[in-house]
Amino acid sequence: DSGVTQTPKHLITATGQRVTLRCSPRSGDLSVYWYQQSLDQGLQFLIQYYNGEERAKGNILERFSAQQFPDLHSELNLSSLELGDSALYFCASSASLDQETQYFGPGTRLLVL
Amino acid sequence: AQSVTQPDIHITVSEGASLELRCNYSYGATPYLFWYVQSPGQGLQLLLKYFSGDTLVQGIKGFEAEFKRSQSSFNLRKPSVHWSDAAEYFCAVLTGTASKLTFGTGTRLQVTL
């Protein structure tokens, strides 16, 4: 158990809908990262937040957004969902800003029908 | 840009045999290197990491990896594989100036009894 929690574990929704994925980092960790794992793209970095502020962006679609709250939990919002958004979404956390080991949560499996 | 190559998509070994999973990275400076394991339906668990110092690093579950700068490699090894080691293994690099992990495409390990 990494100490990173993610909810829900599974999510089934329809195209065009909007969903919110939630992540609680390890106790004391200030950085949260979101990754997407799909069959065609593999594991890809989406976005990083540190202590409430966005710090780095990767291959994140404009339809996706994230935020980190004062209690350090983070949410990833996916809107106007398409079939191709079906994937496993991981959250990871690390103690500080850079060059730190990232610990991953169990993931949220999203299926868009 | 940094990249990670795992040349073997799928490897099958017999239980009790030795294992070596290959990983090559592309990055100009000294990289921070990681191996993660993903069991079916599970999240990513950190096996080991290399930041600096001794080029042979020990991890959990009896795994070790050796950093070889001259070959840009960070191969994962285990002297005697157990059936429970069957999983997908990911090599990843963290650059010195960015926070994101760049992952290889993974190697799926099958263990025969």
Side-chain angles (χ1 to χ4, degrees):
Chain A
D1 184 357
S2 67
V4 179
T5 60
Q6 289 186 250
T7 56
K9 282 195 77 171
H10 302 276
L11 203 47
I12 302 175
T13 188
T15 54
Q17 295 298 304
R18 172 190 170 95
V19 297
T20 297
L21 313 184
R22 183 187 168 104
C23 167
S24 292
R26 295 187 318 157
S27 176
D29 282 0
L30 298 178
S31 264
V32 168
Y33 310 78
W34 286 97
Y35 291 83
Q36 180 194 59
Q37 184 180 34
S38 62
L39 285 176
D40 54 344
Q41 298 289 327
L43 269 160
Q44 289 202 92
F45 168 74
L46 295 178
I47 198 165
Q48 178 204 7
Y49 275 81
Y50 174 76
N51 205 20
E53 293 189 8
E54 181 186 304
R55 297 296 301 201
K57 255 185 171 177
N59 299 322
I60 188 165
L61 300 171
E62 284 192 14
R63 301 183 284 108
F64 296 1
S65 65
Q67 54 185 326
Q68 187 179 26
F69 294 87
D71 67 352
L72 300 177
H73 90 272
S74 177
E75 293 181 354
L76 180 67
N77 301 294
L78 315 177
S79 61
S80 302
L81 285 167
E82 301 174 0
L83 296 178
D85 298 327
S86 296
L88 190 53
Y89 291 85
F90 285 113
C91 169
S93 74
S94 68
S96 63
L97 191 58
D98 294 315
Q99 304 168 19
E100 288 277 347
T101 302
Q102 295 179 24
Y103 295 90
F104 282 76
T108 293
R109 185 169 294 280
L110 173 66
L111 180 60
V112 182
L113 299 175
Chain B
Q2 66 278 5
S3 66
V4 177
T5 302
Q6 293 181 247
D8 304 305
I9 296 173
H10 187 213
I11 283 183
T12 300
V13 299
S14 301
E15 188 175 39
S18 63
L19 171 71
E20 183 168 27
L21 302 182
R22 296 182 291 164
C23 171
N24 292 96
Y25 67 89
S26 172
Y27 180 60
T30 299
Y32 296 163
L33 294 159
F34 303 81
W35 276 99
Y36 287 88
V37 60
Q38 184 178 24
S39 299
Q42 302 297 313
L44 292 163
Q45 182 181 24
L46 178 68
L47 282 178
L48 49 77
K49 61 188 178 185
Y50 171 77
F51 280 11
S52 64
D54 194 347
T55 57
L56 184 64
V57 294
Q58 303 296 320
I60 62 170
K61 303 185 181 186
F63 285 93
E64 66 177 28
E66 186 171 12
F67 171 63
K68 292 186 177 180
R69 183 188 302 276
S70 62
Q71 299 176 19
S72 297
S73 69
F74 188 56
N75 294 348
L76 182 71
R77 299 194 296 247
K78 186 169 185 178
S80 177
V81 169
H82 188 262
W83 63 266
S84 61
D85 293 324
E88 188 143 22
Y89 292 79
F90 292 92
C91 182
V93 63
L94 184 74
T95 68
T97 56
S99 305
K100 68 168 189 173
L101 283 168
T102 298
F103 286 89
T105 50
T107 297
R108 181 164 297 279
L109 173 66
Q110 184 177 358
V111 180
T112 57
L113 302 176

